């Protein structure tokens, strides 16, 4: 099975940088997703990491270390609209690659 | 290019009733997964459909069933509704073996 841990809540200041961590213990690993979810809305795809290292996509970057069971999402130049929940999810390597989600990190951006 | 669509947007049902939710995947996608998301929680995997068959199932009772049609669209059926079934039901589509998975807007189900 999969166990995924993320901080429950974080607060950061507009214009700053914030790092949201995710650790996982899995019986099998194919890749790791990050999603953004605004209150009352569906999750929006941000990234999918398969190999170790940092992948940058505009103001958002995602890092993966498979040996450590660790990932982080880095948000730069924070904007008020970045206030949302950020979900970490792991895709299994076994069978048909079920995706398991963490409970999410609620990020509040303050002026 | 239409993304993932779901219907209805909102639904109110009474305990014991049955409900059917619908999903059309993103163009070019052949795999549909269904999730249940309770308030303040991450999505919980219900099951996944590919080539009209249920490929994998999460820890949900048999009251939850589904179907995939030849055009890849899918339905989620829930029988004998309980109050605890109230949640946001999300459909996600992907291409078998692909890297990305996209969610639809969800159906908010309230059971009274």
């Amino acid at each position: 099975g999969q166990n995924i841990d993320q901080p429950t809540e974080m607060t950061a200041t507009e214009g700053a940088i914030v790092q949201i961590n995710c650790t996982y213990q899995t019986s099998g690993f194919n890749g790791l997703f990050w999603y953004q979810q605004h209150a009352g809305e569906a999750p929006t795809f941000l990234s999918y990491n398969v190999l170790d290292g940092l992948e940058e996509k505009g103001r958002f970057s995602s890092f993966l270390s498979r040996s450590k069971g660790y990932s982080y999402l880095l948000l730069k130049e924070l904007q008020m609209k970045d206030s949302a929940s950020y979900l970490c999810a792991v895709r299994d390597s076994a069978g048909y690659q079920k995706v398991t989600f963490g409970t999410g990190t609620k990020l509040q951006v303050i002026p | 290019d239409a993304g993932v669509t779901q219907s209805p947007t909102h639904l109110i049902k009474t305990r014991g009733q049955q409900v059917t939710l619908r999903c059309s995947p993103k163009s070019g996608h052949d795999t549909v997964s269904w999730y249940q998301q309770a308030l303040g929680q991450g999505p919980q995997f219900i099951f996944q459909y590919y080539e009209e068959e249920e490929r994998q199932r999460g820890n949900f009772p048999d009251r939850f069933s589904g179907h995939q049609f030849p055009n890849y669209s899918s339905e989620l059926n829930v029988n004998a509704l309980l109050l605890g079934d109230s949640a946001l039901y999300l459909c996600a589509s992907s291409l078998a073996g692909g890297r990305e998975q996209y969610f639809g807007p969800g159906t908010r189900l309230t059971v009274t």
Side-chain angles (χ1 to χ4, degrees):
Chain A
Q2 315 276 26
N3 186 38
I4 300 170
D5 291 309
Q6 306 178 233
T8 305
E9 295 181 347
M10 297 182 71
T11 302
T13 305
E14 190 177 15
I17 299 173
V18 70
Q19 178 174 310
I20 301 174
N21 296 324
C22 172
T23 58
Y24 61 90
Q25 297 87 43
T26 64
S27 55
F29 179 86
N30 182 284
L32 188 144
F33 291 94
W34 282 100
Y35 285 88
Q36 179 191 61
Q37 187 174 28
H38 287 99
E41 298 182 9
T44 303
F45 174 84
L46 293 178
S47 65
Y48 183 62
N49 291 67
V50 177
L51 301 176
D52 291 351
L54 185 69
E55 292 192 8
E56 299 184 66
K57 196 182 293 185
R59 294 189 299 113
F60 291 12
S61 302
S62 56
F63 171 84
L64 176 66
S65 169
R66 290 171 295 172
S67 62
K68 295 182 179 179
Y70 169 68
S71 174
Y72 67 73
L73 180 69
L74 193 70
L75 290 73
K76 302 176 185 176
E77 302 168 14
L78 279 172
Q79 302 175 10
M80 299 301 291
K81 68 179 182 179
D82 296 330
S83 293
S85 286
Y86 291 85
L87 299 165
C88 171
V90 171
R91 175 180 266 164
D92 203 337
S93 60
Y96 299 112
Q97 303 182 343
K98 169 185 168 182
V99 176
T100 301
F101 280 80
T103 55
T105 298
K106 187 174 182 181
L107 174 66
Q108 182 181 16
V109 180
I110 59 176
Chain B
D1 177 25
V4 183
T5 60
Q6 291 186 244
S7 64
T9 306
H10 295 87
L11 203 52
I12 301 175
K13 289 287 189 178
T14 305
R15 270 183 305 177
Q17 287 188 313
Q18 177 264 342
V19 68
T20 297
L21 310 181
R22 296 176 176 82
C23 170
S24 291
K26 180 178 170 62
S27 178
H29 284 184
D30 55 12
T31 301
V32 172
S33 300
W34 285 94
Y35 295 84
Q36 179 195 67
Q37 187 176 26
L39 203 61
Q41 300 296 315
Q44 297 295 308
F45 177 79
I46 302 175
F47 42 51
Q48 182 185 86
Y49 277 85
Y50 172 71
E51 292 190 341
E52 303 178 52
E53 290 194 358
E54 182 183 296
R55 296 208 302 185
Q56 195 157 11
R57 189 178 184 91
N59 294 325
F60 280 81
D62 292 344
R63 297 187 298 110
F64 289 77
S65 63
H67 188 77
Q68 186 179 35
F69 299 95
N71 67 353
Y72 307 118
S73 67
S74 177
E75 289 182 348
L76 165 65
N77 301 292
V78 187
N79 294 322
L81 283 167
L82 303 174
L83 295 180
D85 295 331
S86 295
L88 179 67
Y89 287 85
L90 295 162
C91 164
S93 78
S94 57
L95 187 61
R99 288 171 55 96
E100 300 173 349
Q101 176 181 247
Y102 293 96
F103 282 89
T107 294
R108 175 72 62 185
L109 173 65
T110 302
V111 182
T112 62

